[in-house]
mmCIF file of all heavy atoms in Angstrom:
data_model
loop_
_atom_site.group_PDB
_atom_site.id
_atom_site.type_symbol
_atom_site.label_atom_id
_atom_site.label_comp_id
_atom_site.label_asym_id
_atom_site.label_seq_id
_atom_site.Cartn_x
_atom_site.Cartn_y
_atom_site.Cartn_z
ATOM 1 N N LEU A 155 7.657 -14.699 -2.604
ATOM 2 C CA LEU A 155 7.247 -15.646 -1.565
ATOM 3 C C LEU A 155 8.019 -16.957 -1.683
ATOM 4 O O LEU A 155 8.161 -17.526 -2.770
ATOM 5 C CB LEU A 155 5.742 -15.930 -1.686
ATOM 6 C CG LEU A 155 5.150 -16.873 -0.631
ATOM 7 C CD1 LEU A 155 5.244 -16.262 0.765
ATOM 8 C CD2 LEU A 155 3.690 -17.196 -0.955
ATOM 9 N N GLU A 189 0.527 -8.223 -0.846
ATOM 10 C CA GLU A 189 0.724 -8.454 0.590
ATOM 11 C C GLU A 189 2.174 -8.198 0.982
ATOM 12 O O GLU A 189 3.105 -8.567 0.248
ATOM 13 C CB GLU A 189 0.353 -9.895 0.936
ATOM 14 C CG GLU A 189 0.556 -10.242 2.413
ATOM 15 C CD GLU A 189 0.204 -11.675 2.739
ATOM 16 O OE1 GLU A 189 -0.542 -12.306 1.950
ATOM 17 O OE2 GLU A 189 0.691 -12.181 3.770
ATOM 18 N N LEU A 191 5.393 -9.142 3.059
ATOM 19 C CA LEU A 191 5.952 -10.378 3.604
ATOM 20 C C LEU A 191 6.906 -10.076 4.752
ATOM 21 O O LEU A 191 7.189 -8.918 5.060
ATOM 22 C CB LEU A 191 6.663 -11.161 2.505
ATOM 23 C CG LEU A 191 5.775 -11.657 1.353
ATOM 24 C CD1 LEU A 191 6.624 -12.334 0.275
ATOM 25 C CD2 LEU A 191 4.711 -12.617 1.870
ATOM 26 N N ALA A 192 7.420 -11.141 5.361
ATOM 27 C CA ALA A 192 8.339 -10.971 6.480
ATOM 28 C C ALA A 192 9.769 -10.721 6.014
ATOM 29 O O ALA A 192 10.639 -10.342 6.799
ATOM 30 C CB ALA A 192 8.303 -12.209 7.383
ATOM 31 N N ASP A 216 -0.473 -7.735 6.291
ATOM 32 C CA ASP A 216 -0.270 -8.865 7.201
ATOM 33 C C ASP A 216 0.397 -8.341 8.468
ATOM 34 O O ASP A 216 1.574 -7.975 8.458
ATOM 35 C CB ASP A 216 0.596 -9.919 6.515
ATOM 36 C CG ASP A 216 0.690 -11.214 7.307
ATOM 37 O OD1 ASP A 216 1.150 -11.147 8.468
ATOM 38 O OD2 ASP A 216 0.320 -12.267 6.778
ATOM 39 N N ILE A 217 -0.356 -8.299 9.571
ATOM 40 C CA ILE A 217 0.173 -7.692 10.789
ATOM 41 C C ILE A 217 1.234 -8.561 11.451
ATOM 42 O O ILE A 217 2.090 -8.049 12.170
ATOM 43 C CB ILE A 217 -0.949 -7.344 11.797
ATOM 44 C CG1 ILE A 217 -1.528 -8.589 12.473
ATOM 45 C CG2 ILE A 217 -2.066 -6.532 11.134
ATOM 46 C CD1 ILE A 217 -2.474 -8.266 13.634
ATOM 47 N N GLY A 218 1.193 -9.871 11.196
ATOM 48 C CA GLY A 218 2.223 -10.752 11.747
ATOM 49 C C GLY A 218 3.547 -10.600 11.020
ATOM 50 O O GLY A 218 4.608 -10.594 11.651
ATOM 51 N N HIS A 219 3.486 -10.487 9.694
ATOM 52 C CA HIS A 219 4.710 -10.234 8.928
ATOM 53 C C HIS A 219 5.318 -8.889 9.302
ATOM 54 O O HIS A 219 6.539 -8.760 9.437
ATOM 55 C CB HIS A 219 4.403 -10.245 7.430
ATOM 56 C CG HIS A 219 4.057 -11.586 6.883
ATOM 57 N ND1 HIS A 219 3.432 -11.771 5.670
ATOM 58 C CD2 HIS A 219 4.267 -12.834 7.392
ATOM 59 C CE1 HIS A 219 3.271 -13.059 5.449
ATOM 60 N NE2 HIS A 219 3.758 -13.734 6.474
ATOM 61 N N ARG A 221 5.169 -7.345 12.078
ATOM 62 C CA ARG A 221 5.775 -7.388 13.421
ATOM 63 C C ARG A 221 7.189 -7.945 13.387
ATOM 64 O O ARG A 221 8.076 -7.438 14.079
ATOM 65 C CB ARG A 221 4.911 -8.244 14.351
ATOM 66 C CG ARG A 221 5.529 -8.492 15.721
ATOM 67 C CD ARG A 221 4.633 -9.348 16.591
ATOM 68 N NE ARG A 221 5.321 -9.836 17.771
ATOM 69 C CZ ARG A 221 5.504 -9.140 18.896
ATOM 70 N NH1 ARG A 221 5.045 -7.905 18.981
ATOM 71 N NH2 ARG A 221 6.134 -9.669 19.923
ATOM 72 N N VAL A 222 7.433 -8.975 12.552
ATOM 73 C CA VAL A 222 8.718 -9.684 12.629
ATOM 74 C C VAL A 222 9.721 -9.235 11.577
ATOM 75 O O VAL A 222 10.883 -9.657 11.623
ATOM 76 C CB VAL A 222 8.508 -11.209 12.509
ATOM 77 C CG1 VAL A 222 7.609 -11.715 13.625
ATOM 78 C CG2 VAL A 222 7.954 -11.588 11.137
ATOM 79 N N TYR A 250 -3.099 -12.170 13.080
ATOM 80 C CA TYR A 250 -2.606 -13.174 14.028
ATOM 81 C C TYR A 250 -1.484 -12.468 14.768
ATOM 82 O O TYR A 250 -1.241 -11.276 14.531
ATOM 83 C CB TYR A 250 -2.123 -14.449 13.305
ATOM 84 C CG TYR A 250 -1.063 -14.213 12.267
ATOM 85 C CD1 TYR A 250 0.288 -14.416 12.542
ATOM 86 C CD2 TYR A 250 -1.401 -13.752 10.997
ATOM 87 C CE1 TYR A 250 1.264 -14.171 11.595
ATOM 88 C CE2 TYR A 250 -0.428 -13.501 10.038
ATOM 89 C CZ TYR A 250 0.900 -13.711 10.339
ATOM 90 O OH TYR A 250 1.866 -13.451 9.410
ATOM 91 N N HIS A 251 -0.805 -13.145 15.675
ATOM 92 C CA HIS A 251 0.208 -12.441 16.460
ATOM 93 C C HIS A 251 1.497 -12.248 15.668
ATOM 94 O O HIS A 251 1.900 -11.121 15.362
ATOM 95 C CB HIS A 251 0.481 -13.164 17.771
ATOM 96 C CG HIS A 251 1.502 -12.512 18.642
ATOM 97 N ND1 HIS A 251 1.634 -11.142 18.736
ATOM 98 C CD2 HIS A 251 2.473 -13.040 19.457
ATOM 99 C CE1 HIS A 251 2.615 -10.843 19.573
ATOM 100 N NE2 HIS A 251 3.142 -11.977 20.020
ATOM 101 N N GLU A 252 2.153 -13.349 15.314
ATOM 102 C CA GLU A 252 3.416 -13.245 14.601
ATOM 103 C C GLU A 252 3.718 -14.555 13.897
ATOM 104 O O GLU A 252 3.132 -15.601 14.208
ATOM 105 C CB GLU A 252 4.568 -12.887 15.546
ATOM 106 C CG GLU A 252 4.820 -13.921 16.641
ATOM 107 C CD GLU A 252 5.896 -13.476 17.622
ATOM 108 O OE1 GLU A 252 6.451 -12.388 17.423
ATOM 109 O OE2 GLU A 252 6.181 -14.233 18.563
ATOM 110 N N GLU A 253 4.634 -14.483 12.939
ATOM 111 C CA GLU A 253 5.072 -15.682 12.228
ATOM 112 C C GLU A 253 6.456 -16.066 12.731
ATOM 113 O O GLU A 253 7.372 -15.238 12.755
ATOM 114 C CB GLU A 253 5.118 -15.429 10.718
ATOM 115 C CG GLU A 253 5.532 -16.661 9.923
ATOM 116 C CD GLU A 253 5.397 -16.472 8.418
ATOM 117 O OE1 GLU A 253 4.941 -15.394 7.983
ATOM 118 O OE2 GLU A 253 5.754 -17.408 7.684
ATOM 119 N N ILE A 254 6.593 -17.332 13.132
ATOM 120 C CA ILE A 254 7.861 -17.843 13.622
ATOM 121 C C ILE A 254 8.327 -18.941 12.675
ATOM 122 O O ILE A 254 7.568 -19.876 12.372
ATOM 123 C CB ILE A 254 7.735 -18.400 15.054
ATOM 124 C CG1 ILE A 254 7.352 -17.274 16.018
ATOM 125 C CG2 ILE A 254 9.034 -19.069 15.498
ATOM 126 C CD1 ILE A 254 7.156 -17.727 17.452
ATOM 127 N N GLU A 255 9.554 -18.836 12.194
ATOM 128 C CA GLU A 255 10.079 -19.807 11.244
ATOM 129 C C GLU A 255 10.021 -21.213 11.831
ATOM 130 O O GLU A 255 10.459 -21.466 12.955
ATOM 131 C CB GLU A 255 11.522 -19.454 10.872
ATOM 132 C CG GLU A 255 12.085 -20.296 9.745
ATOM 133 C CD GLU A 255 13.451 -19.812 9.281
ATOM 134 O OE1 GLU A 255 13.923 -18.768 9.784
ATOM 135 O OE2 GLU A 255 14.031 -20.479 8.408
ATOM 136 N N GLY A 256 9.469 -22.112 11.066
ATOM 137 C CA GLY A 256 9.339 -23.491 11.501
ATOM 138 C C GLY A 256 8.083 -23.777 12.285
ATOM 139 O O GLY A 256 7.730 -24.950 12.485
ATOM 140 N N MET A 257 7.397 -22.734 12.740
ATOM 141 C CA MET A 257 6.177 -22.905 13.525
ATOM 142 C C MET A 257 4.960 -22.298 12.842
ATOM 143 O O MET A 257 3.821 -22.622 13.183
ATOM 144 C CB MET A 257 6.347 -22.283 14.916
ATOM 145 C CG MET A 257 7.429 -22.927 15.756
ATOM 146 S SD MET A 257 7.631 -22.109 17.364
ATOM 147 C CE MET A 257 6.035 -22.426 18.117
ATOM 148 N N GLY A 258 5.194 -21.399 11.897
ATOM 149 C CA GLY A 258 4.072 -20.792 11.190
ATOM 150 C C GLY A 258 3.465 -19.626 11.944
ATOM 151 O O GLY A 258 4.145 -18.925 12.696
ATOM 152 N N HIS A 259 2.176 -19.436 11.743
ATOM 153 C CA HIS A 259 1.465 -18.307 12.334
ATOM 154 C C HIS A 259 1.042 -18.629 13.761
ATOM 155 O O HIS A 259 0.404 -19.654 14.016
ATOM 156 C CB HIS A 259 0.232 -17.969 11.501
ATOM 157 C CG HIS A 259 0.564 -17.396 10.167
ATOM 158 N ND1 HIS A 259 -0.392 -16.905 9.303
ATOM 159 C CD2 HIS A 259 1.766 -17.224 9.529
ATOM 160 C CE1 HIS A 259 0.201 -16.457 8.208
ATOM 161 N NE2 HIS A 259 1.506 -16.649 8.318
ATOM 162 N N ILE A 260 1.381 -17.737 14.662
ATOM 163 C CA ILE A 260 1.116 -17.937 16.087
ATOM 164 C C ILE A 260 -0.070 -17.073 16.497
ATOM 165 O O ILE A 260 -0.076 -15.855 16.243
ATOM 166 C CB ILE A 260 2.352 -17.562 16.929
ATOM 167 C CG1 ILE A 260 3.588 -18.318 16.421
ATOM 168 C CG2 ILE A 260 2.085 -17.816 18.403
ATOM 169 C CD1 ILE A 260 3.472 -19.819 16.481
ATOM 170 N N GLU A 286 -5.719 -15.385 10.152
ATOM 171 C CA GLU A 286 -4.945 -16.317 9.338
ATOM 172 C C GLU A 286 -4.288 -17.394 10.202
ATOM 173 O O GLU A 286 -3.072 -17.536 10.269
ATOM 174 C CB GLU A 286 -3.903 -15.562 8.504
ATOM 175 C CG GLU A 286 -3.557 -16.321 7.238
ATOM 176 C CD GLU A 286 -2.601 -15.558 6.338
ATOM 177 O OE1 GLU A 286 -1.822 -14.718 6.828
ATOM 178 O OE2 GLU A 286 -2.632 -15.821 5.133
#
Side-chain angles (χ1 to χ4, degrees):
L155 182 64
E189 179 181 340
L191 297 176
D216 188 302
I217 73 170
H219 291 163
R221 173 180 167 82
V222 300
Y250 56 98
H251 180 36
E252 61 184 359
E253 182 172 358
I254 296 178
E255 188 173 356
M257 297 178 64
H259 291 186
I260 306 300
E286 207 176 26

